[in-house]
């Protein structure tokens, strides 16, 4: 889908990446308690109730191994991994450090390609299914220092899976509804996106099931869906509505207008807003209790967009919270939506006909996140919804979020609150879009994508790396 990055983007990557020199606290252990000691002063918030605001930043198209496969003390890839270039071939590609700004093109991450790469749980089909050795490439603290810094100072989850073994849009639907309603494909249309969704779902309502925001009114939970929107929208086609999205427009990364209960309710649609409101809400004291933050394409880290550009976009969001009064009672979940065609060595548990998909990075940033901690519990995108539901006593949406772990292992609500760790942003950074989008073809012919029947399959338990034991 996307071609080579411009020299401007390459220059961005070489900009000095200043990091805080604060030494992280010792690694925490054990599962977080939900309640503080009874001896605490009457009226003081306890346990999960210390969190009054949840911010969910969702970036694009990276696996855990692609970003954190060499992170110490976590379940990264081992030295013996080598993925064959063709099915059954003795020639194979080992994980290697990517020299940014490669790959020059997007890696396919459609349903059929994802399942070919998964190869019945052997996780050895990535090179021939993706059609590129770049699927085996990884990055580390030299390339994404801010993310490694957040992991060292707060909590990293090394068994956080995408919810569906496929592309972006279905996974984004999971982030608001704990289900895709059976959708396994991206739905794009320049001017008729709702009609395209209705056709894909075979439903005149589009998404006719409940989203979590439908449950918020019962508990008085406030929310906003912040969409990064460029100041000047170019006169160029954008059928997936990710390059220059509008907050109230259905797109790959903004599924809420696809829900009939939302698009027919002007009050709910008014909560889909330009991301500039996030910074204004922090300053004016009007931050809602639950927030989603969605990038436009150039800041998303979706190949081949600039990693540095996306990282500094996220850093600005995190800094703004840390420099506000809201830091003391907020958690940021920083997640990536799907595997994006990149290799990951851990076979995702098969919990139903749709997923899980491969692991994606997830960092928990909060005063109550365990410092320098790696959580080895199994999570997926619906685990963040489960955290929201537990915090505000909401009924689960589907069996997925009903069964999900609630991220409690990432917190210690009895610890002294961690200080903010503001990372200075270099002056003069600009956000630039690479206008060409090309995808590598697979090395072998793959079966045509088929719609899957909506029925469960036998669950396959995850067998962890014996060298990394849950705490």
């Amino acid at each position: 889908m996307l071609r080579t990055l411009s020299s401007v983007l390459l220059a961005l990557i070489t900009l000095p990446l200043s990091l805080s020199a604060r030494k992280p606290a010792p690694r925490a252990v054990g599962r977080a308690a939900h309640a503080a000691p009874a001896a605490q002063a009457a009226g003081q918030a306890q346990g999960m109730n210390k969190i009054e605001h949840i911010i969910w930043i969702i970036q694009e198209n990276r696996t855990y191994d692609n970003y954190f496969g060499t992170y110490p003390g976590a379940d990264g890839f081992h030295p013996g991994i080598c993925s064959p270039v063709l099915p059954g071939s003795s020639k194979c590609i080992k994980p290697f450090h990517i020299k940014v700004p490669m790959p020059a093109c997007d890696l396919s991450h459609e349903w059929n390609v994802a399942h070919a790469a998964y190869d019945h749980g052997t996780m050895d089909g990535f090179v021939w299914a993706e059609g590129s050795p770049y699927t085996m490439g990884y990055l580390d603290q030299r390339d994404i220092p801010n993310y490694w810094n957040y992991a060292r100072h707060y909590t990293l989850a090394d068994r956080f899976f995408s919810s569906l073994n496929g592309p972006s849009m279905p996974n984004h639907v999971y982030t608001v509804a704990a289900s895709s309603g059976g959708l396994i494909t991206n739905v794009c249309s320049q001017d008729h996106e709702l009609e395209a969704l209705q056709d894909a779902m075979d439903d005149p309502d589009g998404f006719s099931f409940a989203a979590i925001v439908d449950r918020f009114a019962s508990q008085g939970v406030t929310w906003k869906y912040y969409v990064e929107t460029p100041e000047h929208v170019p006169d160029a086609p954008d059928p997936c509505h990710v390059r220059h999205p509008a907050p109230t427009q259905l797109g790959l990364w903004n599924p809420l207008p696809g829900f009939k209960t939302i698009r027919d309710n002007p009050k709910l649609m008014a909560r889909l807003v330009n991301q500039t409101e996030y910074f204004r809400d922090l300053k004016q004291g009007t931050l809602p209790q639950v927030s989603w933050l969605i990038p436009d394409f150039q800041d998303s880290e979706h190949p081949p967009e600039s990693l540095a550009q996306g990282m500094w976009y996220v850093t600005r969001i995190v800094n703004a919270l840390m420099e506000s009064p809201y830091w003391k009672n907020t958690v940021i979940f920083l997640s990536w939506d799907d595997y994006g065609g990149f290799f990951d060595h851990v076979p995702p548990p098969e919990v139903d006909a749709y997923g899980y998909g491969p692991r994606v990075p997830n960092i928990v940033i909060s005063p109550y996140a365990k410092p320098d901690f790696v959580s080895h519990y199994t999570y997926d995108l619906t685990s963040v919804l489960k955290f929201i539901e537990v915090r505000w006593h909401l009924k689960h949406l589907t069996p997925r979020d009903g069964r999900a772990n609630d991220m409690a292992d990432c917190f210690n609500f009895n610890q002294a609150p961690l200080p903010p760790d503001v990372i200075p942003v270099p002056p003069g950074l600009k956000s630039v879009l690479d206008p060409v989008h090309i995808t590598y073809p697979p090395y072998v012919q793959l079966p045509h994508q088929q719609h899957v029947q909506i029925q469960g399959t036998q669950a396959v338990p995850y067998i962890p790396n014996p060298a990394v034991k849950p705490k």
Side-chain angles (χ1 to χ4, degrees):
M1 299 189 243
L2 290 158
R3 255 297 191 231
T4 25
L5 293 171
S6 67
S7 58
V8 176
L9 295 185
L10 184 57
L12 280 175
I13 294 176
T14 61
L15 282 172
L17 303 173
S18 53
L19 293 173
S20 169
R22 180 175 66 82
K23 183 178 179 180
R27 185 178 295 276
V29 296
R31 187 166 174 80
H34 278 274
Q40 285 189 344
Q44 182 177 348
Q46 297 184 11
M48 197 179 284
N49 288 335
K50 291 183 177 181
I51 300 297
E52 297 180 16
H53 301 273
I54 296 170
I55 296 172
W56 196 357
I57 304 170
I58 305 176
Q59 294 292 96
E60 290 296 314
N61 290 37
R62 300 286 167 174
T63 59
Y64 179 89
D65 277 347
N66 180 242
Y67 269 11
F68 291 99
T70 59
Y71 191 83
D75 191 359
F77 55 81
H78 55 80
I81 285 177
C82 196
S83 189
V85 296
L86 292 171
S89 173
S90 60
K91 184 179 180 181
C92 59
I93 306 294
K94 288 180 172 291
F96 63 95
H97 179 249
I98 295 177
K99 294 181 179 179
V100 291
M102 304 303 284
C105 299
D106 190 15
L107 295 165
S108 181
H109 41 286
E110 296 299 326
W111 172 272
N112 58 335
V113 176
H115 283 75
Y118 168 75
D119 197 15
H120 306 285
T122 62
M123 309 302 282
D124 66 357
F126 283 87
V127 176
W128 53 265
E130 299 296 342
S132 171
Y134 282 113
T135 183
M136 302 300 293
Y138 68 85
L139 301 141
D140 58 28
Q141 60 185 338
R142 293 169 290 181
D143 314 294
I144 46 172
N146 298 10
Y147 294 153
W148 279 52
N149 186 70
Y150 292 143
R152 286 193 300 268
H153 287 90
Y154 304 104
T155 294
L156 175 68
D158 70 353
R159 291 175 190 161
F160 191 102
F161 294 86
S162 51
S163 289
L164 179 139
N165 196 10
S168 287
M169 189 171 192
N171 277 292
H172 274 272
V173 183
Y174 271 91
T175 67
V176 296
S179 171
S180 69
L183 182 71
I184 61 172
T185 62
N186 287 334
V187 177
C188 297
S189 176
Q190 180 63 43
D191 300 308
H192 305 283
E193 58 275 5
L194 180 57
E195 291 88 340
L197 177 65
Q198 292 166 337
D199 181 65
M201 298 299 295
D202 192 22
D203 188 333
D205 292 339
F207 297 134
S208 56
F209 45 98
I212 193 170
V213 299
D214 294 317
R215 304 278 170 87
F216 285 167
S218 66
Q219 297 295 329
V221 179
T222 59
W223 65 278
K224 282 186 180 180
Y225 200 88
Y226 297 98
V227 178
E228 187 184 24
T229 305
E231 288 185 35
H232 306 290
V233 177
D235 185 16
D238 182 23
C240 297
H241 304 292
V242 294
R243 294 174 181 271
H244 31 84
T248 57
Q249 187 171 47
L250 174 65
L252 291 193
W253 307 339
N254 181 8
L256 287 177
F259 288 83
K260 181 175 174 59
T261 57
I262 297 171
R263 69 173 178 273
D264 288 351
N265 187 328
K267 290 184 179 180
L268 296 183
M269 287 295 286
R271 297 181 183 272
L272 281 60
V273 299
N274 191 309
Q275 204 167 102
T276 56
E277 286 197 22
Y278 166 76
F279 300 97
R280 184 162 65 244
D281 287 339
L282 288 174
K283 292 179 179 179
Q284 296 181 351
T286 53
L287 184 72
Q289 290 163 296
V290 179
S291 304
W292 289 260
L293 280 92
I294 308 300
D296 65 11
F297 201 81
Q298 60 203 41
D299 291 333
S300 70
E301 300 162 53
H302 189 300
E305 299 303 322
S306 166
L307 290 177
Q309 196 165 275
M311 181 186 70
W312 287 115
Y313 154 82
V314 169
T315 302
R316 288 188 181 98
I317 292 171
V318 175
N319 283 354
L321 172 75
M322 289 181 169
E323 294 172 330
S324 79
Y326 287 107
W327 167 251
K328 65 181 182 293
N329 55 24
T330 297
V331 57
I332 293 175
F333 293 104
L334 172 56
S335 308
W336 283 255
D337 69 335
D338 70 69
Y339 84 113
F342 289 102
F343 165 79
D344 193 85
H345 79 280
V346 175
E350 190 178 347
V351 298
D352 57 30
Y354 300 103
Y356 298 147
R359 292 185 304 170
V360 291
N362 183 271
I363 305 172
V364 180
I365 304 170
S366 172
Y368 299 104
K370 294 177 181 177
D372 190 26
F373 179 74
V374 179
S375 176
H376 303 306
Y377 280 79
T378 298
Y379 309 110
D380 80 312
L381 295 167
T382 69
S383 294
V384 179
L385 298 183
K386 182 65 170 281
F387 185 92
I388 295 170
E389 291 159 359
V390 172
R391 169 60 183 84
W392 280 288
H393 310 289
L394 303 171
K395 183 180 177 181
H396 67 266
L397 293 156
T398 72
R400 273 294 192 91
D401 55 323
R403 294 191 303 259
N405 282 323
D406 63 4
M407 310 291 294
D409 184 56
C410 301
F411 297 88
N412 180 358
F413 293 112
N414 297 321
Q415 71 186 18
L418 300 177
D421 188 59
V422 176
I423 300 173
V425 179
L429 288 180
K430 295 182 179 179
S431 183
V432 181
L433 175 67
D434 187 325
V436 182
H437 200 162
I438 298 172
T439 305
Y440 292 106
Y443 285 163
V444 299
Q445 186 173 357
L446 301 179
H448 290 298
Q449 188 163 281
Q450 300 291 334
H451 285 282
V452 66
Q453 295 295 320
I454 305 177
Q455 59 185 12
T457 59
Q458 184 178 2
V460 178
Y462 168 61
I463 302 174
N465 183 340
V468 181
K469 298 184 180 300
K471 299 187 184 296

